[in-house]
């Protein structure tokens, strides 16, 4: 493994240890609400701070964009971090959350990892080299029939409820099994691992999907042009799918695939 990939693995595993310890603490993670259904725990900030310190020590001069503290996005090398994706799950004692960390170089994702600490699952990818789950190469599923497929449709208060329901409803009427598990990053990782066939959300932020988009393309799947229209700064719709159902999911969701 290259020095870069070893560093990424070490950072996300250490961050995952922090989350697991907080999750298992007898007084359980205390949380506040930033707004409707918008959870915040002290661990979100602590993990992001830790990752920022690690990046500054290991890769001095690189930029960092994080969910909690923001950041400048104008240098050639940018780390994109969501310290806890699935914060609502984490706060409510549901063991389905992760850290997502990706490195963008000159506007292109170079490497990324998602670590899910409660099941010790490390999803990692490097551009042009492949994607792995706990050391095993990942491939998207070969399911080619919508009626045998599972798709996750993400939701947040940033979009009207009806927009979400319309997307989820179309997928359900087409015969898909529709789920919503509350972590967009893990939703993308599951497509890369062949556990589900698609993940779509009308609006999501770049820290939720930076690593996952690379995981999916390196695992042979298809994605939309998330980075178009300034997705890095303001977010965008996201669609990731296996190869076999890419056109079908694109037409169901109305989200165009990247070439
Ligand atoms: C959210 C989760 C959720 C997705 C939202 C995200 P958070 O991030 O990934 O599944 O639907 O768009 O904002 O609040 O858990 O970090
Ligand atoms: Ca998030």
């Amino acid at each position: 493994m290259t020095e870069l990939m070893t560093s990424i693995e070490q950072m996300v595993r250490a961050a995952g240890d922090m989350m697991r310890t907080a999750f298992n603490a007898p007084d359980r993670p205390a949380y506040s609400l930033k707004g409707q259904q918008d959870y915040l725990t002290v661990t979100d900030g602590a993990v992001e701070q830790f990752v920022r310190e690690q990046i500054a020590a290991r890769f001095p001069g690189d930029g960092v964009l994080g969910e909690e503290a923001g950041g400048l996005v104008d240098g050639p090398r940018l780390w994109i971090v969501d310290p806890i994706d699935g914060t609502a799950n984490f706060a409510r004692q549901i063991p389905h959350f992760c850290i997502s960390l990706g490195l963008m170089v000159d506007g292109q994702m170079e490497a990324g990892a998602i670590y899910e600490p409660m099941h010790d699952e490390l999803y990692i990818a490097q551009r042009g080299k492949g994607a792995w789950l706990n050391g095993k190469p990942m491939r998207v599923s070969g399911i080619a029939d919508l009626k045998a497929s599972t798709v996750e449709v993400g939701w947040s208060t940033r979009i009207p409820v009806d927009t979400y329901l319309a997307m989820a409803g179309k997928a359900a009427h087409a015969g898909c099994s529709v789920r919503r598990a509350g972590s967009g990053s893990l939703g993308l990782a599951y497509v890369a691992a062949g556990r589900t066939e698609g993940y779509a959300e009308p609006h999501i932020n770049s820290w939720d999907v930076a690593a996952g988009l690379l995981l999916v393309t390196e695992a042979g799947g298809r994605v939309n042009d998330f980075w178009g229209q300034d997705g890095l700064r303001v977010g965008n719709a996201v669609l990731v799918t296996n190869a076999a159902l890419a056109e079908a999911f694109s037409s169901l969701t109305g989200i165009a695939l990247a070439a």
Side-chain angles (χ1 to χ4, degrees), residues 67 82 84-87 154-156 158 182-184 199 201 204 208:
E67 172 162 18
D82 189 340
I84 304 180
D85 187 60
T87 299
W155 169 80
S156 77
R158 298 182 300 273
S183 163
Y199 183 96
E201 185 162 341
I204 198 161
D208 298 308

Side-chain angles (χ1 to χ4, degrees), residues 32-231:
S32 55
L33 284 167
K34 291 188 268 183
Q36 181 198 338
Q37 300 295 339
D38 194 2
Y39 287 79
L40 181 69
T41 74
V42 286
T43 315
D44 293 81
V47 171
E48 183 166 320
Q49 183 56 32
F50 167 78
V51 172
R52 284 176 181 275
E53 285 163 12
Q54 288 288 315
I55 292 169
R58 293 168 189 255
F59 305 98
D62 285 8
V64 183
L65 171 68
E67 172 162 18
E68 304 307 325
L72 293 172
V73 294
D74 52 2
R77 284 171 59 93
L78 181 70
W79 293 86
I80 305 173
V81 58
D82 189 340
I84 304 180
D85 187 60
T87 299
N89 288 340
F90 176 77
R92 304 300 309 275
Q93 293 279 291
I94 297 169
H96 187 78
F97 52 86
C98 64
I99 173 166
S100 171
L101 178 63
L103 173 64
M104 180 179 259
V105 180
D106 294 328
Q108 222 180 11
M109 290 310 298
E110 176 60 31
I114 289 174
Y115 182 59
E116 201 268 68
M118 304 312 289
H119 297 98
D120 187 27
E121 290 192 324
L122 175 73
Y123 308 79
I124 193 160
Q126 188 168 15
R127 188 167 62 88
K129 299 272 167 54
W132 299 266
L133 167 52
N134 285 352
K136 282 197 192 152
M138 278 195 290
R139 292 312 287 172
V140 293
S141 95
I143 288 177
D145 179 0
L146 281 178
K147 294 189 167 57
S149 74
T150 300
V151 62
E152 182 165 354
V153 181
W155 169 80
S156 77
T157 53
R158 298 182 300 273
I159 53 130
V161 172
D162 287 343
T163 306
Y164 163 72
L165 291 176
M167 198 179 268
K170 270 194 174 176
H173 281 297
C176 308
S177 165
V178 181
R179 52 185 257 132
R180 176 176 180 269
S183 163
S185 299
L186 284 175
L188 270 57
Y190 274 27
V191 175
R195 291 175 174 174
T196 61
E197 281 60 58
Y199 183 96
E201 185 162 341
H203 177 272
I204 198 161
N205 288 304
S206 57
W207 43 79
D208 298 308
V209 297
L213 288 165
L214 185 67
L215 289 171
V216 171
T217 50
E218 288 297 323
R222 300 279 305 274
V223 302
N224 70 319
D225 178 19
F226 176 84
W227 304 108
Q229 298 167 323
D230 210 12

